[in-house]
Amino acid sequence: MPFWGTPDVDLMASKMNAKVPSFVSRYRDPQAIAVDALVLSWNQFHLSYLFPPLALLPRVIKKIKSERVPAILIAPDWPRRTWYADLGRRKGCAASKSTLARWIRATIQEAYRSMGMTVPAGIKAHSTRAVGASWAVRHQASAEQCQPPGSRSIHPQSTVLCPPMSVSEKRILRYRYTKRLTNDHDQQYDLAVIVATNDPGNNFGIVETVFNDAEVPRDLRGETTFGDLWLHDFWGTKLSSNASHKSYRPLTVLTFRVSYALAGGLHPVGFHVINIILHCMVSVLMLDVFSLLFGGKTCDKGKKMTYSPKAALLSALLFAVHPVHTECVAGIVGRADLLCALFVVLSFLGYSKAQIRINKEDHTSVFWVLCSIALAAIAMLCKEQGITVLGLNAVFDVFVICKLNMLECIQKVRHRDKTPENFLLVKKGLLSRISLLAAGGICMLYLRWSIMGTGPPAFTNVDNPASFAETLLIRVINYNYYYSLNGWLLLCPWWLCFDWSMGCIPLIKSLSDSRIMAPAALWFCLFGLMYQALFSSNGQTRRILTMGLGFLIIPFLPASNLFFRVGFVVAERVLYLPSVGYCILLSYGYCKICKHVNKKKLATIVVLGLLTLYPVRCIYRSNQWKSEELLFKSALDVCPLNAKVHYNIGKNLADRGLQADAIKYYREAIRLNQKYVHAMNNLGNILKEKGELHEAEELLSRAVSIQSDFSAAWMNLGIVQNSLKRFEDAEKSYLTAIRYRKKYPDCYYNLGRLFLKLNNVFVNLQKTPKTYQCKAMTMYLQQIFLHPK
C-alpha cells in the first residue's frame, strides 16, 4: 500500500490478521487499542485500513462519508449491490489474473520467510482446484477428498508441496477433476480495494485483493438454507446427530436471522430491542388474560366492561416487572421463551372464544379451536414449552367454560343421581373440543418426535445431579426440593444466578437434612390451594384458584423431570410462564385480605412495596447482564460452590489477558469438580503458553482419561508433546483427536506443522523428507477443504 500511504490503524481486525500494529478488535483483546470500530470516532486516525464483513459494508461506507475521513477500504466489485453506488465514481477496475498471481506468489514467499524457511525457486500461483486435482490422482484420494474447497478460496500453502508431473499427466488430472464440476461455472468474485479520501467528488480507488469473511453462526447469517433450517436444532446442529441438543426452535432462529439482517451483523442492540418489545407485547396481552380469569368481560352499551379491573391490572403490573423475567429479556437466547409466551397467550385467548352462544344455546366454534391449536403449534416451534397451552385450554374449558363443581359431582355420585344433564361430560361441545385438543397435541408430539430422529439428548451428572441419584427416594426428594427453590424464586427473586448446575445445590441424601422442610412447606401450600380450588362453594374462587394453579404448574411440567431428564437444576427462564400463576394467586390473596381484614393499609403497603422493589431489582439485575464479568461475579454470591461459575470467570479473565487471575479460578473450578475436563483443558493451555509444559501435559492427560472423546484436549495435548519434542506421542494425540472429530481443521493444521517439523529435524530417518512433505500437504489440503475461508 505504498501508493496511498501506510495506515496507522486497522479498524476491523484481530491479532492474527492485523495489517498494522495498532488495530481495533471485534472482541476484547489485550493487544487491541479498542473494541468495536463502529462506535469510535475515526477522525482521530490519519489513515485507516478497513476490511469489513460484507454485512457491515453499508454502515462502514456511510460512516466514512459522514465523518469525511481518509481510509483504505476493501470491498467486492459487485455492481448489483445497493451499496455499490455509494462507493463513488472511480472505484478502480477488477484485478487481472496476472496481478492476482503476482500477489499470491508474494504471499507464498512471505509465508516461507515468516516460518524461517528457504523460499523455493519457481513458485507458481495456480488455483486450489489444480492442486487438489494433482494431489488427488497422484495419491489415489477418495471422491470426497477431491471435492473442491470452493471457487472463492485461494490457498497458496498447498501449491508448493505438490510433486512435479508430466504434461500428459496434468492433462489427465485436469480432465478428471473438471469432470466432477459439470454445470459448475466459474463465477468471478473480483475484489476491488478502495481508498477513501475526504474529497466528496473522488472517494475511492483500487489497492489489492484479499479474501475474508466474518465468522458468525450459520443459521443466523443465512448460509443454512431455509429448508435445512427446519432440520437443525436451536444451536445449528442437525437434529439427527447424536451431538444435537434436541432443542427444536426454528421460528426463534428465523427471528434471529431477521434481526441479524436488519442490524447488519451481530450487533446486540437490535436483538435486545426486539426482546423488550416482545416482553411489552406479552405484558399487555396478559391484561386481557387476567381480566378473563378474574371474572370475565361483558358488553354494556357497546363498551367492554371488566368485572375486576383492579385485580387484573395488579396482576399485569406484577408480571411486567417481576425480576425473574430479567434473564429472558436481557439474554438474547431468552427470545425463545418470549416468543413462546406470546403465542401461548394468543392461543389461550383464542380458545376462550371456543364456545359461542346463539339463541340462548351454547355452540362450539371449531374455527377458534383450530386457531388455538395452530397457535399452540407455532408456540411449540418457538420453544417446546408451548405445547402445554393445550393443557391450559383444557383446564379452562372444564372449570371455567363448563363450570365444573367437584363438590356437586361428588354429591351426585354419592346419591347415585344418573340424570344425563347432571353430568359434565355430556355437556354440549366439551367432548368435541377436548377431542380436538387431544388430537392436535398427539399430532404435534408425533411430528416433533419424527423430526428429532433419535432419542432425547444425553446429559451428564453435573448438569442435573438429582436425576443420577442412586435411589428413587433420593431423586424424588431432590426433585421436590428443586420445585421449592423455583417457588422461592417467584416469591423472593433476590437469589438470581445464570447457572445453577455443578454443585451449586448439593444433593439431599438423608431425611435428617433440614432442607427437606422446604418441599414439605411447598406441598402444604399447594394442597391447601388445590382443596380450595376444587371444593370451594364460591364459583369465582374456584375459577381464579384453578386457573392460577394451572398457569403455575402446567407450563412448568416440561422442566419438572417427570417425563424426561432435563439438562439443568434450576433455570429462571422456564419460570416466565409459571409466573403468570404466581401473579394470579398473589393478586387474589391481596383481594381476599382487603375484604376480610380490617388493616387493609398494611396489605396495600406490602403490595406497593413489591411494585417498587421489583423494578429496582430488575434494573440492578439488568446491569449485571451488561457484561460477562459482572454477570459471572454476581453468581459467586448465590452459588459459591458452582464450578462452572469459577470456570466462566477464569475464561473471561483469560480472554482479557489476565492469565494469573484466570489460573486461580480454573484451579478452584477443578477443586470443586475434579472431573471438570473443560477447566483442565483451558488451564493446560494457559500453562502451555507460560512454559509450564509438564503440568500442562498432566492436566490434559487427566482430561482425556476422564473423557476419551474430548478432541480439543487431545489436540492441545499433542501441541504440548510437540513442544516437549515427543513427536511420536504428539502425532498419536493429533490422530486421536481427528478420530473423534473428523472435521477438525485446526488439528489438521497442527498435524501438518508437525510433519514439516519432522521433515526438517529427522532428515536421516528411513522415511524420506519427501514422505513428510506429502503428509504435510495432505493435512493442509484437508484443512483447506474443511475450512476454505
Side-chain angles (χ1 to χ4, degrees), residues 589-609:
Y590 169 70
C591 294
K592 296 293 287 186
I593 290 174
C594 290
K595 287 182 179 180
H596 300 286
V597 179
N598 294 329
K599 297 181 179 181
K600 300 178 182 179
K601 292 184 178 179
L602 180 60
T604 303
I605 291 173
V606 172
V607 172
L608 291 177

Side-chain angles (χ1 to χ4, degrees), residues 99 102 228 614 688 748:
T99 304
R102 176 167 51 83
D228 291 340
Y614 277 3
K688 174 192 66 179
Y748 283 109

Side-chain angles (χ1 to χ4, degrees), residues 579-594:
S579 64
V580 177
Y582 161 77
C583 295
I584 294 173
L585 297 175
L586 183 61
S587 299
Y588 174 76
Y590 169 70
C591 294
K592 296 293 287 186
I593 290 174
C594 290

Side-chain angles (χ1 to χ4, degrees), residues 101 104-113 118-126 156 159-160:
I104 294 170
R105 288 195 297 271
T107 304
I108 297 171
Q109 294 170 358
E110 184 62 30
Y112 269 91
R113 294 191 190 99
T118 303
V119 179
I123 292 177
K124 295 182 179 180
H126 53 92
T159 62
V160 182

Side-chain angles (χ1 to χ4, degrees), residues 133-286:
S134 305
W135 175 85
V137 176
R138 179 167 288 276
H139 297 281
Q140 292 81 41
S142 63
E144 288 76 12
Q145 290 171 310
C146 294
Q147 180 67 29
S151 58
R152 299 190 190 190
S153 57
I154 296 177
H155 294 273
Q157 307 101 303
S158 57
T159 62
V160 182
L161 299 175
C162 182
M165 294 170 290
S166 64
V167 176
S168 59
E169 187 179 12
K170 287 182 180 179
R171 290 175 181 172
I172 296 173
L173 295 175
R174 293 295 179 95
Y175 170 76
R176 291 186 181 181
Y177 192 77
T178 54
K179 186 77 173 178
R180 296 172 41 83
L181 303 176
T182 306
N183 299 326
D184 181 20
H185 303 290
D186 293 339
Q187 299 181 4
Q188 291 186 351
Y189 295 93
D190 299 325
L191 296 183
V193 183
I194 300 155
V195 177
T197 67
N198 55 5
D199 180 5
N202 180 21
N203 291 346
F204 307 101
I206 185 167
V207 180
E208 61 175 297
T209 301
V210 185
F211 292 82
N212 193 18
D213 198 4
E215 293 184 0
V216 296
R218 295 176 303 165
D219 291 354
L220 269 66
R221 188 171 54 190
E223 291 184 355
T224 304
T225 63
F226 183 78
D228 291 340
L229 186 67
W230 299 88
L231 303 177
H232 290 183
D233 65 10
F234 189 54
W235 308 105
T237 306
K238 288 186 177 180
L239 282 168
S240 58
S241 172
N242 292 329
S244 172
H245 193 266
K246 308 301 182 183
S247 49
Y248 186 60
R249 303 162 192 175
L251 292 185
T252 303
V253 177
L254 276 177
T255 65
F256 285 147
R257 182 177 287 190
V258 172
S259 298
Y260 177 83
L262 294 176
L266 291 173
H267 302 289
V269 175
F271 289 85
H272 287 302
V273 168
I274 293 179
N275 278 20
I276 294 172
I277 292 173
L278 288 172
H279 179 62
C280 292
M281 292 172 63
V282 174
S283 300
V284 171
L285 289 173
M286 279 299 172

Side-chain angles (χ1 to χ4, degrees), residues 413-482:
V413 171
R414 289 180 60 186
H415 292 88
R416 298 180 180 180
D417 188 352
K418 298 182 180 180
T419 307
E421 59 268 15
N422 289 328
F423 288 92
L424 174 69
L425 293 179
V426 298
K427 283 193 173 183
K428 184 177 293 187
L430 175 63
L431 288 178
S432 61
R433 292 192 296 270
I434 297 298
S435 299
L436 286 174
L437 289 177
I442 292 172
C443 290
M444 282 189 274
L445 288 175
Y446 175 76
L447 291 174
R448 173 69 173 84
W449 190 262
S450 300
I451 294 173
M452 189 166 65
T454 57
F459 297 109
T460 60
N461 184 24
V462 295
D463 298 321
N464 188 356
S467 63
F468 290 86
E470 297 178 356
T471 63
L472 177 63
L473 178 62
I474 294 178
R475 287 200 296 272
V476 171
I477 291 174
N478 283 279
Y479 285 159
N480 283 273
Y481 181 62
Y482 294 164

Side-chain angles (χ1 to χ4, degrees), residues 677-698:
V677 293
H678 295 283
M680 296 176 190
N681 179 57
N682 288 11
L683 180 58
N685 281 337
I686 293 179
L687 295 175
K688 174 192 66 179
E689 294 175 1
K690 294 175 68 69
E692 302 177 19
L693 299 178
H694 293 287
E695 186 179 359
E697 183 184 19
E698 180 183 354

Side-chain angles (χ1 to χ4, degrees), residues 482 526 626:
Y482 294 164
L526 287 179
K626 283 185 176 180

